[in-house]
Amino acid sequence: MLHERGVQVMNVDVIGKAYDIAASYLRHIGAIREQPATNEALLQLIVQLFEHGDRHQLSLANRAIMRYQRRAAQHGEAA
C-alpha cells in the first residue's frame, strides 16, 4: 500500500514537472496565455503520453509541446 502511494506521488511529480517545462516554453513563445489556471489541453497531452509509457519529464514536455503546437496549427490557432 505504501509503495503504491510512493509511485503515485512520483507520477504526479513527473507529470507536474513536465507540465511546468512545457507551459513555461509555450508561454514564452506566446502559444498559451499567461494565466494562473492550468491549461487542460496541455495537461491532458502529458497525461496521455505518461499513460503510454513515457516516464521522463523532459521527454514528456518536449513531446507535449510538439503535439500542442501541431493541434494549434491544425485548428488555425497561433502557435
Side-chain angles (χ1 to χ4, degrees), residues 64-77:
I65 288 166
M66 288 187 299
R67 289 184 184 197
Y68 188 91
Q69 290 176 316
R70 191 177 320 128
R71 282 187 184 179
Q74 288 174 346
H75 292 99
E77 300 169 10

Side-chain angles (χ1 to χ4, degrees), residues 9-23 43 46-47 50 57 60:
V9 169
M10 185 177 74
N11 293 348
V12 170
D13 188 50
V14 170
I15 290 170
K17 287 179 179 177
Y19 177 86
D20 288 342
I21 293 165
L43 180 60
I46 292 169
V47 169
F50 186 89
Q57 65 193 30
L60 284 166

